[in-house]
Amino acid sequence: MSEEQAVLVDVADGVMTITLNRGKAKNAVNKAMAEGVAAAMDELDSNDDIRVGIITGADNTFCAGMDLKAFVTGELPMLPGRGFCGFVEAPPKKPLIAAVEGFALAGGLEVMISCDLIVAADNAKFGIPEVKRGLAAAAGGLVRLPKQVPPRLAMEMALTGDFIDSAKASEIGLINRVVPAGTALEGAKALAATISANGPLAVKLSKQVIVESGDWTADNMWANQQDIVNPVFTSEDAIEGATAFAEKRAPNWKGK
């Protein structure tokens, strides 16, 4: 399957939608898909006209993980410096939303938790069942998931391989929004529209602080934050935002 078929990319109204497009294989990730996603992430970060990214799956499922048929032939769906699916070790600097229908399992869940926000259908299922295949959830399930949900629950998911549903995922804070089945992408686009209406520099640097501050201490967190966000307060967008508020109009952001 060619790279173009494995990943579909659409840009509209400042939002990039990346679709994992191997529906017959439950959108399992092979090398072509990893390469396609990596190229899309590069475009997301480098194109100033794009404010937010969404990643979703074709045919009413998100992603069933690594393509095991390709794996047994020696093909790995990873790229140097980027990891599984071309981005889990190097997520984009701009916001990325997962729109989840159906199953987000194994590497699929690891793709999902590499995103900043998650909108999921009410019938979606989540899990890291790698242990059931003699494998380990090494694309984020063992190191990223325990930082997003209570560690004991992450431990249970990792050691049992059992699935959880959207209600449980919402209860433990794994996902942001639960929507009716078939509307996850619609819900993600609504969330993306809200984000893209805000100052792009402020959004990007706010994400950076939240992502990086997990490793900061009480002694350095304020200084580290100021180093990152200072450009926001001296930006053209800050003046524009205040002016637009006073003039009761929508801001005309420049991203600088």
Side-chain angles (χ1 to χ4, degrees):
M1 180 173 286
S2 71
E3 177 179 313
E4 289 76 19
Q5 293 171 313
V7 177
L8 303 178
V9 178
D10 175 73
V11 177
D13 300 321
V15 177
M16 170 183 280
T17 302
I18 303 163
T19 303
L20 308 179
N21 191 46
R22 303 186 69 226
K24 291 182 179 179
K26 302 298 183 185
N27 300 319
V29 182
N30 61 3
K31 188 174 182 181
M33 182 180 283
E35 291 171 345
V37 171
M41 296 298 174
D42 285 344
E43 176 67 11
L44 170 62
D45 269 343
S46 64
N47 189 332
D48 291 339
D49 293 329
I50 304 173
R51 305 283 182 84
V52 184
I54 296 172
I55 187 164
T56 192
D59 294 350
N60 295 311
T61 196
F62 186 68
C63 177
M66 178 172 63
D67 187 332
L68 294 179
K69 292 181 179 179
F71 170 72
V72 298
T73 68
E75 178 182 302
L76 295 176
M78 305 168 188
L79 298 180
R82 295 174 181 262
F84 181 76
C85 201
F87 86 103
V88 300
E89 293 180 18
K93 294 180 175 61
K94 294 178 183 176
L96 183 64
I97 304 169
V100 180
E101 298 280 354
F103 293 96
L105 303 177
L109 182 134
E110 292 168 317
V111 166
M112 182 188 85
I113 64 173
S114 300
C115 299
D116 303 298
L117 302 167
I118 302 167
V119 177
D122 55 13
N123 64 350
K125 303 291 185 184
F126 312 89
I128 43 175
E130 281 89 342
V131 290
K132 294 180 181 291
R133 299 291 179 265
L135 299 169
L142 303 181
V143 294
R144 185 171 273 146
L145 184 62
K147 296 180 180 179
Q148 297 186 13
V149 303
R152 290 193 186 279
L153 295 181
M155 183 73 78
E156 182 177 344
M157 292 176 69
L159 300 188
T160 66
D162 290 344
F163 301 169
I164 63 173
D165 59 18
S166 289
K168 183 66 173 180
S170 179
E171 176 189 332
I172 65 176
L174 179 61
I175 58 180
N176 295 86
R177 299 183 181 183
V178 180
V179 296
T183 68
L185 182 56
E186 179 184 341
K189 287 184 176 180
L191 184 56
T194 300
I195 295 169
S196 63
N198 297 327
L201 180 63
V203 166
K204 179 180 176 180
L205 297 185
S206 293
K207 169 181 172 172
Q208 183 180 347
V209 170
I210 291 175
V211 169
E212 295 182 7
S213 61
D215 296 326
W216 295 349
T217 68
D219 291 332
N220 63 27
M221 64 181 183
W222 295 108
N224 289 350
Q225 175 185 258
Q226 287 312 114
D227 286 344
I228 293 172
V229 303
N230 274 340
V232 170
F233 294 97
T234 58
S235 68
E236 294 181 34
D237 277 356
I239 301 300
E240 170 61 12
T243 303
F245 177 79
E247 296 177 353
K248 299 181 180 181
R249 59 173 175 82
N252 180 22
W253 306 120
K254 296 182 180 178
K256 58 183 181 178

